Amino acid sequence: MDVAIDHERCIGAGQCVLIAPEVFDQGEHDGLAVLRTGRPDAAHHPAVREAREACPVGAIALSGN
């Protein structure tokens, strides 16, 4: 699974960080989502999918598995 964040859409709600902190973080200066890894381990896939669904602006895109 590949993960991408659309930084033009992200509003820094932080739901992704709360749901999958191993994969997502928030930038120090702007609070927008950043990736800790663009290819998370399979064990994190369910949480990443949940984070995508929880994003209020649909800024998380997944491809692959």
Side-chain angles (χ1 to χ4, degrees), residues 15-16 19 46-62:
Q15 295 303 305
C16 57
I19 295 168
V48 172
R49 287 187 187 98
E50 183 181 346
R52 178 190 61 190
E53 295 302 316
C55 180
V57 294
I60 299 170
L62 307 179

Side-chain angles (χ1 to χ4, degrees), residues 11-30:
I11 60 170
Q15 295 303 305
C16 57
V17 179
L18 293 172
I19 295 168
E22 302 83 9
V23 178
F24 300 98
D25 200 354
Q26 285 184 282
E28 261 184 56
H29 302 291
D30 57 12

Side-chain angles (χ1 to χ4, degrees), residues 1-50:
M1 167 188 294
D2 292 317
V3 182
I5 299 170
D6 181 342
H7 291 101
E8 296 296 317
R9 295 181 97 178
C10 181
I11 60 170
Q15 295 303 305
C16 57
V17 179
L18 293 172
I19 295 168
E22 302 83 9
V23 178
F24 300 98
D25 200 354
Q26 285 184 282
E28 261 184 56
H29 302 291
D30 57 12
L32 299 180
V34 293
L35 292 172
R36 291 180 178 269
T37 177
R39 298 205 62 160
D41 293 334
H44 299 299
H45 289 188
V48 172
R49 287 187 187 98
E50 183 181 346

